[in-house]
Every structure is written in C-alpha cells, then in structure tokens.
C-alpha cells in the first residue's frame, strides 16, 4: 500500500474511447482524477473525466504538459506511436510497460514471444513480398490467414486464403504492409481470460468467457465458457505466465482458441478488453477498477464471479433495441454516448445476468 498513489492523484489515459470512458468512471469511484489525451473530437471519455487534451500524437508541447499534469500514464489502445511513448516515458511511469506494448503491437513479435514461453500458437511465418509468401505457404499450407503485422484490430487488415491460389489477392490486400501468414486453427470455440497483475507482482484472473465473433467483431461473451476444469486452470495459468514474463502491471486480455490439442493463444491485448465487460455486472471488482487498482499500486480485487452473465455488444443499428433492453429484467445497459451511429461501430453493450452463482 505504501507505494499507492494518494487520493486525488491524476491518471493520464492515452485514448478517449469507450474503454477510456469506463476506466475514468472506475478511477473516479476510487478517488482518482483522469486526464485523457486523444487527437479526436467528441470522445466518449470526455463526458466523465476531469480533463481532456485534444492534440496529435506528435505535439511535443501538448505531450509535455499532459505528462506534467499526471502521476501515472496508461492507455486504452495499443497502437500509440513509438516517439510519443519515448517522450512520455522519460517523464512519468507508463503502466503496463513498453515491452508489453512492443510485443502486442506486432503480430510476429507477439507470436515469437508466446512460442518462446512454451505456449501454443497457430503456425506462422513472416511475409514481406511474393517470394516470402511462396515460402510461407510451402511451410504452412492452406487454409491460412494473412494478417498485417501492425495496426490490425476487429478483423481489419486480414485476408483468408482458402487455397494457395489465393496468395496473390491476399498479398495485394496487405497493400505493401509487412504481414504474417497464420495456419488456420480448427477450433471448437473461442475464449478469453482477463487477468491482472499488480505493482507487487500479485496476479488475479477472472473466469474465462466464451466469445462469439461476427464479421471479425466481438458479438457476445458468455460466462462461464464451455471449458473442462483442466482447460479452465490452463487458461488462467497461461495468462499468469504471460503477465509475469512481461513484468506486467495492469489488466490484460488473452484470446484463446479451444482445440482438442489444447488451448492455442490467438493474441494478447495489453489493456482492458471488450470480452471483459461482463465483469461490470458479474463481479464486485470489474476489469476497469482492477486496472486502476493495479496501475495506482492498490491491492487487486480477487476477480471472484458471483453471476453467470451474457455480454452483448450493441453495434450500429442494434441501438434500436435499447428501449427493449431498458425494459428487460436483469439487464444492465452501458452506453458510450456516441452521437453518430455507424455500421460496425460499437455504441454500447448490455450485460444480462443469467443466474447468480
Ligand atoms: P484477430 O484479429 O487475430 O483476433 O482475428 C479475428 C478473428 O479471426 C479471431 O477471433 C478468429 O475468429 C479468427 N482467426 C484469427 N486468426 C485465426 C487463425 N489462425 N485460425 C482460425 N481463425 C482465426
């Protein structure tokens, strides 16, 4: 507790989307202030945080002033430019640390890190041009997925290869960006573990959730996930290994494929995660509070789950269902205050409590 930030301390958050918004709410409940930095306008986080800086990632003056006004810096997305982080890191602690960001910003580095830890991943090979593509297909075969190494999210920057003949068109979709070819994993379903590591090195994990994606976007998370006791333990233990290896501080999302051969790690997200939103209504300490506790040096909550929950994302026109959801029993609605509705845009989510446990 001695190294914990005092009441009234300010947390700097890079990124002011819905994750930044929900982090700010959690921080305020624990007596902290938040200062959000984001180049965009009309931020979901700006309604609920104490201060906002609207400036580009290369505005040194704005970054210096931001750092001077905060006690610790965290982030709600991983694609922050390196030069921005270099400047900020010299001034204030960034939690989670740079290594966690570097590993997760690049799919190739991420896969190599996971493999070096002894964890299972999809087979992979780097692709930069037609000749490395030919080599990668010879090694991995088809079906496969070609993904950009950087800046991919919600299924963007990905091309599916059903046969080796799709190589040319898949490579063209990368538009010259460095890529990674991944063997197609035959999974029965997808799960994720939301885990946290405190400043003191303590680790706490939530019960894994089962994730359903549509068009590359998370549609629904159901807890508990369909897992055997052994798989459940495995999921939590492997998340702990990842956190320890990175000397991580904060909440992380670890996405897993469930296969007959075991759990295969798809990717890690060094931040609060959409598939952890169920914790807001299934646990006393949700993932947002857990993250704030970790980065401010407070003890972690235990992550104990007291309800079975189904979290459903409200995407685009799903907002038409809000009146019904407001009228439904055992549904908690979390809306992000985004004035403009767009297809594929996450507008909010609904947590339905299915049963108390
Ligand atoms: P990602 O952006 O890597 O999380 O991929 C988005 C979604 O595509 C995943 O949640 C999976 O449903 C699917 N996917 C990604 N990689 C693979 C793979 N190697 N094998 C099978 N499905 C995959």
């Amino acid at each position: 507790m001695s190294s914990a930030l005092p009441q009234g301390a300010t947390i700097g958050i890079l990124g002011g989307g819905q994750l930044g918004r929900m982090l700010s709410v959690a921080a305020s409940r624990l007596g902290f202030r938040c200062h959000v930095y984001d180049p965009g306008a009309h931020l979901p986080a700006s309604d609920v945080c104490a201060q906002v800086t609207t400036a580009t990632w290369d505005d040194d003056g704005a970054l210096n002033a931001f750092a001077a006004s905060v006690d610790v810096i965290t982030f709600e997305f991983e694609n922050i430019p390196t030069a921005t982080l270099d400047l900020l890191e010299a001034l204030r602690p960034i939690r989670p640390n740079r290594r966690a960001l570097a590993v997760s910003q690049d799919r190739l580095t991420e896969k190599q890190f996971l493999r070096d830890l002894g964890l299972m991943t999809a087979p992979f090979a780097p692709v930069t041009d037609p000749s490395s593509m030919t080599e990668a297909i010879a090694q991995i075969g088809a079906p496969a997925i070609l993904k950009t190494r950087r800046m991919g999210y919600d299924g963007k920057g990905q091309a599916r290869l059903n046969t080796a003949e799709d190589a040319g068109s898949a490579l063209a979709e990368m538009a010259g960006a460095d890529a990674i070819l991944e063997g197609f994993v035959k999974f029965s379903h997808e799960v994720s573990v939301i885990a946290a590591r405190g400043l003191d090195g303590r680790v706490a994990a939530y019960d894994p959730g089962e994730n359903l994606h549509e068009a590359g976007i998370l549609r629904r998370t159901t807890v508990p996930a369909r897992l055997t006791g052994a798989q459940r333990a495995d999921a939590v233990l492997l998340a702990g290994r990842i956190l320890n290896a990175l000397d991580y501080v904060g909440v992380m999302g670890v996405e897993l494929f469930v296969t007959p051969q075991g759990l295969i790690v798809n990717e890690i997200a060094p931040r609060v995660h959409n598939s952890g939103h169920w914790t807001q209504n299934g646990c006393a300490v949700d993932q947002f509070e857990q993250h704030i506790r970790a980065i401010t040096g407070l003890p972690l909550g235990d992550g104990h789950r007291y309800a079975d929950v189904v979290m459903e994302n409200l995407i685009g026109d799903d907002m038409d269902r809000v009146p019904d959801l407001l009228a439904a029993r055992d549904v908690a609605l979390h809306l992000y205050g985004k004035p403009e509705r767009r297809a594929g845009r996450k507008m909010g989510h609904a947590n339905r409590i299915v049963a108390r446990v």
Side-chain angles (χ1 to χ4, degrees):
M1 272 298 282
S2 57
S3 59
L5 291 183
Q7 286 287 287
T10 302
I11 298 165
I13 305 177
L14 304 175
Q18 61 264 21
L19 300 179
R21 177 183 174 104
M22 292 183 277
L23 283 169
S24 295
V25 170
S28 70
R29 278 197 280 110
L30 289 179
F32 299 115
R33 304 170 73 252
C34 286
H35 182 170
V36 162
Y37 190 107
D38 193 305
H42 310 299
L43 304 173
S46 61
D47 299 335
V48 297
C49 66
Q51 211 177 334
V52 181
T53 295
T54 308
T56 55
W57 296 120
D58 59 0
D59 185 335
D60 289 2
L63 289 167
N64 273 296
F66 168 76
S69 78
V70 304
D71 298 285
V72 64
I73 296 172
T74 191
F75 45 86
E76 60 139 37
F77 76 114
E78 46 270 56
N79 293 318
I80 304 152
T82 303
T84 307
L85 295 167
D86 288 343
L87 185 154
L88 294 174
E89 193 182 31
L91 301 169
R92 289 292 182 270
I94 300 180
R95 297 177 187 147
N97 61 33
R98 293 290 298 280
R99 172 127 192 269
L101 267 172
V103 163
S104 61
Q105 272 177 343
D106 180 338
R107 290 186 192 274
L108 184 63
T109 315
E110 183 181 41
K111 287 267 189 311
Q112 284 162 341
F113 163 77
L114 294 166
R115 192 181 54 189
D116 292 349
L117 264 187
L119 304 177
M120 282 200 284
T121 67
F124 62 93
V127 170
T128 49
D129 54 19
S131 84
S132 52
M133 182 75 181
T134 308
E135 266 175 54
I137 292 182
Q139 187 188 326
I140 284 161
I145 305 185
L146 189 66
K147 302 179 180 179
T148 53
R149 279 174 59 174
R150 293 175 167 273
M151 303 293 272
Y153 66 97
D154 283 350
K156 295 192 173 71
Q158 303 196 4
R160 172 91 185 257
L161 283 82
N162 292 318
T163 70
E165 271 86 81
D166 297 333
S169 59
L171 196 55
E173 276 193 52
M174 300 298 109
D178 285 350
I180 173 174
L181 187 71
E182 287 185 24
F184 200 78
V185 176
K186 289 202 197 79
F187 56 82
S188 54
H189 51 293
E190 295 184 70
V191 301
S192 57
V193 192
I194 308 300
R197 189 166 175 276
L199 211 47
D200 59 1
R202 233 200 103 215
V203 169
Y206 293 102
D207 209 1
E210 181 167 334
N211 300 324
L212 181 74
H213 293 89
E214 278 172 16
I217 301 178
L218 182 67
R219 177 82 242 164
R220 190 178 306 134
T221 299
T222 304
V223 263
R226 284 172 298 156
L227 291 172
T228 63
Q231 286 170 329
R232 202 171 296 274
D234 216 19
V236 168
L237 289 172
L238 74 80
R241 283 185 63 191
I242 294 170
L243 294 173
N244 283 335
L246 292 170
D247 193 20
Y248 195 87
V249 175
V251 163
M252 171 182 279
V254 181
E255 296 186 36
L256 303 165
F257 298 137
V258 183
T259 78
Q261 291 74 43
L263 300 176
I264 294 181
V265 186
N266 174 29
E267 63 180 6
I268 60 177
R271 54 172 169 77
V272 286
H273 197 254
N274 194 168
S275 69
H277 291 358
W278 66 269
T279 58
Q280 291 172 308
N281 301 98
C283 303
V285 176
D286 68 24
Q287 65 163 347
F288 301 99
E289 177 173 338
Q290 193 77 307
H291 186 76
I292 298 297
R293 286 185 183 217
I295 64 166
T296 57
L298 290 171
L300 296 182
D302 69 358
H304 166 74
R305 180 173 65 84
Y306 58 68
D308 293 352
V309 184
V310 177
M311 187 289 305
E312 199 179 351
N313 271 336
L314 301 176
I315 301 166
D317 285 340
D318 289 340
M319 287 299 279
D320 290 340
R321 294 172 42 214
V322 164
D324 289 344
L325 290 165
L326 284 169
R329 268 183 75 143
D330 294 330
V331 171
L333 206 51
H334 302 259
L335 302 178
Y336 309 149
K338 296 181 183 176
E340 197 194 331
R341 194 192 277 203
R342 282 198 299 264
R345 188 176 204 204
K346 291 173 183 169
M347 307 294 293
H349 64 275
N351 285 332
R352 186 158 55 87
I353 296 172
V354 183
R356 312 262 163 201
V357 290

